[in-house]
Amino acid sequence: MKYFFLLGALIVSVCSFAQVDTTQLKSLYDRCLDFSEDKIDSIHYYAEYISKEANQLNFNKGNVLSLRLKGIYEDLSNNYEKAIEYYLQSLQAARLIKAPEYEMAALSDLAIAYFAIREPGKAKEFYLQCARMSEADGKIPSLINTYNNLAVIYTQLKQYDSSRLLLNKAVQLGKNLDRQGKVSLSSTYNNLGNLYFKEKKYDEALPYFWHNLMRHSNDGDYSGLWVARLNLADIYIEKHHFDSATKYAQSALELAQRLESKSKEADSYSILAKLYEYQNKYNKAYQYIKKWYSLDTAILHSDTYKSIAALQERFHASEREAENKLLQEKIEKETVRTRELSLVAGALAIIGILIAIGFVMKRNAHRRLQETNNLIVQQNEKLSELNYEKNSLISIVSHDLNTPFATIQIWGQVLQNDADRLTAEQQKAMARIVQAGLYGERLIRQILDVEREDIGNHKMKLEKFDLRAFAEEMVDNFKPMADKKHIRLHAEATGKKVFILSDRYLVGRICENLLSNAIKYTTQGKKVWMSIHDDQDHISIKVRDEGVGIEKEELPYLFSKYSKISSRPTDGETSNGLGLSIVKRIVEEINGRISCESEIGVGSVFTVMLKK
């Protein structure tokens, strides 16, 4: 699919030119290439203007420029049949005046258009021609662009090794120029992310999509920002991070509608349908599928393929005719007439065949779509059954495991009560047994919390309580744990009472987890703070430490299930990767938000924001 990125819309009033020359026409053409999709009417206007002025100035490149702009106008209007017709004419005109730079542009335009209508094989033919010309020309920006586009085709054709080779070439060529701001490698990084996505290597793809999101957020490239958001939504769907997927899918749809791009809007509906299908919300998925289908079929349908194929045949016929003009003086008129009749007959036969093929393709496509829909329904039913069985198994196993761990704790405490008969080494071993029993029981509870769709069997109980006093109580409870590591634990709050209406038990679980983690990851002799802040419409709870810190690259995964980070507790304490995912779920359950800021060697700050 072809996207024209917004580099800054600049409308030039051509009527203000006192006297137009060829340099001004070329400058106007270059500016038109930077227009965004909402300026397509201007592109068509200036295409006609360039054609008219070029004829008066006898500017031989004017026809090439005008034809290409007309093709871009039709392309942005999703009229691919007309766009390809203009691109073919532009290619022919460029070859006639021997202008290789415009010939490469026309080849690239044709390849992108064929890729948009789901014909990657045809797109590959044009890109290979373009690549040979770019390599002969030796201009690095042109080479990077060609390698990028050809890599997309290879990815579409599942030739992943060829795609990776070309993308790595593009990175090596443009790395220094990208740092200098002379070229942009954002498309290359996006394509590398898509390549890893196709190979189902989602964790390797994610950094590339995040890189482009940050880049386009800063440079105001809204088309690029839309691509980054859609890619992030898709990858979070595959990773089953549905909250993040929903956020980026919805924002991609809003941006597509703002850009007034039907193709982007159609793709946004498609990703939303996939999101809700993965969550077994089939009614919503069906609604988005209908929206996608109504847009996608309006943009492209089987009749378009038929017309474009006939158009391509006419172009090749015109090229052959141009080559044969040199021989026309050496053959007799009757031979020419016979050859023309043969060409007409052949063209009619081809058109008839294409019409028949188009009809069969349309019928087969409808049948395959029906079969696919039936298969999806069956697979979703099976997945639902498997998910139910998995949850049941987890509940049974966890319940059964609770008994032996409880038994270990009971007998361990019995033996500890009679500790006078045990040696110091035996007492130490017994303490470890009891501690292991407690840890096992707590781990089972956490696994159940993570896997269940609700927060255990806890029934929400709202009450109004003083959060300042609550924080002081929490800090007092954790002082023995902090004293073991000589950590100074502080509670910070304003002098006045800070009341909140919430579930005291769930708020307590949040604070317990955050304080426990802060102490675990802080070295001996350092400090940990818990503070309460009363803002206008919300109250924030902050837990700050002087601990080991967290790598910036690991922050996006911090609240995921079973996530493991490179940072480790300072005194060998245990960490199973479940606590923060449970905290996030509890925070969302009471309509709040949680975030983290961290720096290696300095410490971390966890902030929970709760509505009043």
Side-chain angles (χ1 to χ4, degrees):
M1 187 173 294
K2 180 175 182 179
Y3 302 107
F4 289 83
F5 297 103
L6 181 60
L7 302 177
L10 179 59
I11 303 300
V12 181
S13 177
V14 295
C15 298
S16 65
F17 291 145
Q19 183 176 356
V20 178
D21 58 22
T22 57
T23 302
Q24 289 170 323
L25 289 181
K26 178 61 171 63
S27 176
L28 180 58
Y29 161 81
D30 290 335
R31 289 170 179 173
C32 286
L33 296 181
D34 290 341
F35 283 178
S36 57
E37 292 182 38
D38 59 340
K39 299 293 188 299
I40 59 175
D41 290 334
S42 298
I43 293 173
H44 186 269
Y45 172 83
Y46 291 129
E48 295 291 346
Y49 178 83
I50 289 171
S51 177
K52 177 184 174 183
E53 294 295 329
N55 286 335
Q56 295 179 3
L57 295 170
N58 293 322
F59 181 39
N60 65 344
K61 292 182 180 178
N63 190 37
V64 179
L65 306 183
S66 175
L67 287 169
R68 189 186 183 205
L69 289 179
K70 289 178 180 177
I72 291 172
Y73 166 79
E74 298 295 344
D75 201 338
L76 290 173
S77 303
N78 299 314
N79 187 358
Y80 295 107
E81 177 187 353
K82 200 69 178 173
I84 288 175
E85 182 178 1
Y86 281 122
Y87 290 151
L88 287 171
Q89 291 177 21
S90 178
L91 175 62
Q92 201 169 33
R95 287 174 174 171
L96 187 64
I97 64 173
K98 294 182 170 50
E101 68 274 23
Y102 296 118
E103 184 177 347
M104 284 190 289
L107 289 169
S108 179
D109 291 337
L110 283 163
I112 293 170
Y114 274 106
F115 182 77
I117 62 171
R118 284 79 161 174
E119 285 198 34
K122 198 70 181 173
K124 178 183 170 183
E125 292 177 18
F126 286 109
Y127 269 138
L128 285 173
Q129 294 180 55
C130 192
R132 285 191 289 270
M133 294 186 70
S134 294
E135 288 172 347
D137 186 52
K139 291 181 180 177
I140 291 178
S142 176
L143 266 175
I144 291 172
N145 185 57
T146 302
Y147 286 155
N148 258 314
N149 294 332
L150 193 52
V152 172
I153 303 301
Y154 280 125
T155 300
Q156 188 75 9
L157 294 171
K158 298 183 179 180
Q159 298 174 8
Y160 300 135
D161 289 339
S162 299
S163 178
R164 187 177 290 104
L165 178 66
L166 289 170
L167 291 172
N168 287 333
K169 278 187 177 181
V171 171
Q172 290 303 318
L173 283 172
K175 193 182 300 181
N176 292 331
L177 293 176
D178 185 52
R179 291 195 194 101
Q180 299 167 16
K182 295 180 180 179
V183 299
S184 173
L185 288 180
S186 60
S187 295
T188 308
Y189 294 136
N190 182 72
N191 294 339
L192 278 165
N194 279 321
L195 173 60
Y196 283 118
F197 182 90
K198 290 287 186 181
E199 293 177 317
K200 300 186 185 302
K201 299 177 181 177
Y202 304 123
D203 290 334
E204 294 170 28
L206 193 57
Y208 291 105
F209 295 152
W210 266 107
H211 175 274
N212 276 359
L213 180 73
M214 296 299 102
R215 186 167 191 158
H216 296 313
S217 296
N218 292 332
D219 63 18
D221 183 351
Y222 295 122
S223 290
L225 186 60
W226 173 83
V227 173
R229 288 178 179 177
L230 202 72
N231 284 336
L232 283 170
D234 206 4
I235 208 166
Y236 279 127
I237 289 171
E238 294 295 341
K239 288 169 70 66
H240 287 216
H241 296 175
F242 297 128
D243 290 343
S244 297
T246 302
K247 170 186 171 183
Y248 289 111
Q250 288 290 357
S251 63
L253 175 60
E254 291 167 7
L255 192 53
Q257 290 170 340
R258 216 162 87 199
L259 291 171
E260 299 181 352
S261 169
K262 296 300 180 185
S263 60
K264 287 181 174 62
E265 188 176 347
D267 288 345
S268 301
Y269 287 140
S270 176
I271 210 70
L272 281 164
K274 179 180 177 181
L275 168 63
Y276 287 113
E277 179 194 339
Y278 270 51
Q279 297 179 87
N280 299 328
K281 297 177 180 178
Y282 301 116
N283 186 39
K284 281 192 172 182
Y286 174 68
Q287 297 302 322
Y288 282 114
I289 278 288
K290 285 201 302 184
K291 291 182 178 180
W292 164 79
Y293 185 78
S294 64
L295 276 178
D296 193 69
T297 50
I299 293 171
L300 186 67
H301 48 78
S302 296
D303 290 340
T304 303
Y305 287 117
K306 178 184 65 179
S307 301
I308 289 173
L311 179 64
Q312 182 67 33
E313 177 58 29
R314 289 201 301 272
F315 170 74
H316 289 317
S318 66
E319 280 197 329
R320 289 195 296 271
E321 184 180 352
E323 292 170 356
N324 289 335
K325 283 183 179 179
L326 298 174
L327 302 174
Q328 285 180 355
E329 294 178 358
K330 300 179 181 180
I331 56 177
E332 296 180 356
K333 291 182 180 181
E334 288 298 325
T335 305
V336 174
R337 188 174 303 156
T338 303
R339 184 174 299 166
E340 289 174 350
L341 289 173
S342 298
L343 287 172
V344 171
L348 289 172
I350 290 170
I351 291 171
I353 293 170
L354 290 173
I355 291 172
I357 291 172
F359 177 77
V360 173
M361 284 175 61
K362 188 173 183 179
R363 186 177 60 185
N364 290 342
H366 179 75
R367 178 178 53 79
R368 286 195 298 270
L369 180 62
Q370 186 63 42
E371 292 173 354
T372 302
N373 288 340
N374 293 337
L375 181 60
I376 289 172
V377 171
Q378 293 173 9
Q379 289 175 335
N380 286 334
E381 291 175 353
K382 183 64 176 176
L383 286 173
S384 179
E385 293 174 6
L386 291 172
N387 190 54
Y388 176 77
E389 292 176 6
K390 182 264 293 182
N391 289 338
S392 299
L393 180 61
I394 288 174
S395 296
I396 293 168
V397 172
S398 299
H399 180 270
D400 290 346
L401 284 174
N402 261 323
T403 302
F405 279 120
T407 303
I408 290 169
Q409 292 179 60
I410 290 169
W411 285 107
Q413 290 168 0
V414 169
L415 291 172
Q416 281 184 323
N417 292 335
D418 202 12
D420 295 340
R421 299 184 181 181
L422 302 178
T423 65
E425 189 66 29
Q426 287 173 333
Q427 289 178 11
K428 185 178 180 181
M430 187 54 59
R432 288 180 178 175
I433 290 171
V434 173
Q435 184 181 11
L438 286 168
Y439 175 71
E441 187 178 16
R442 186 167 66 252
L443 180 59
I444 291 168
R445 181 167 66 110
Q446 288 178 333
I447 291 172
L448 284 172
D449 281 349
V450 171
E451 295 299 333
R452 284 192 298 235
E453 290 184 358
D454 52 23
I455 308 300
N457 294 318
H458 177 72
K459 186 176 181 181
M460 185 80 71
K461 182 181 178 182
L462 297 179
E463 59 179 297
K464 191 173 184 179
F465 59 95
D466 180 8
L467 198 56
R468 180 186 59 79
F470 182 80
E472 292 174 352
E473 180 184 336
M474 280 285 139
V475 168
D476 287 340
N477 291 341
F478 276 87
K479 277 190 175 177
M481 181 180 176
D483 289 344
K484 289 181 181 179
K485 296 179 70 174
H486 305 291
I487 291 172
R488 284 171 286 177
L489 195 56
H490 303 279
E492 295 180 347
T494 56
K496 63 178 183 178
K497 295 183 178 181
V498 180
F499 286 98
I500 187 172
L501 181 65
S502 189
D503 187 296
R504 187 185 186 95
Y505 168 73
L506 294 181
V507 174
R509 286 193 62 185
I510 293 168
C511 296
E512 287 171 1
N513 271 282
L514 294 180
L515 283 170
S516 175
N517 278 353
I519 295 169
K520 279 184 186 179
Y521 289 92
T522 299
T523 55
Q524 294 196 13
K526 297 288 186 177
K527 297 179 182 178
V528 172
W529 296 266
M530 182 176 181
S531 59
I532 307 298
H533 301 273
D534 188 359
D535 297 319
Q536 291 183 350
D537 58 349
H538 67 273
I539 294 172
S540 62
I541 304 171
K542 291 182 181 286
V543 176
R544 178 164 59 94
D545 62 57
E546 294 180 336
V548 294
I550 304 165
E551 295 285 353
K552 288 185 178 180
E553 293 78 8
E554 295 175 345
L555 288 175
Y557 316 105
L558 197 58
F559 300 101
S560 303
K561 288 184 186 179
Y562 306 103
S563 64
K564 290 286 186 179
I565 59 175
S566 57
S567 302
R568 290 289 176 265
T570 57
D571 273 10
E573 297 98 327
T574 55
S575 176
N576 51 45
L578 291 171
L580 288 177
S581 67
I582 294 172
V583 170
K584 182 175 185 291
R585 176 172 288 186
I586 296 173
V587 169
E588 291 174 348
E589 182 72 13
I590 57 178
N591 200 24
R593 290 184 289 116
I594 184 168
S595 61
C596 175
E597 299 174 9
S598 186
E599 185 176 345
I600 290 294
V602 177
S604 305
V605 180
F606 285 85
T607 304
V608 177
M609 300 182 69
L610 303 174
K611 291 186 177 180
K612 289 185 177 179

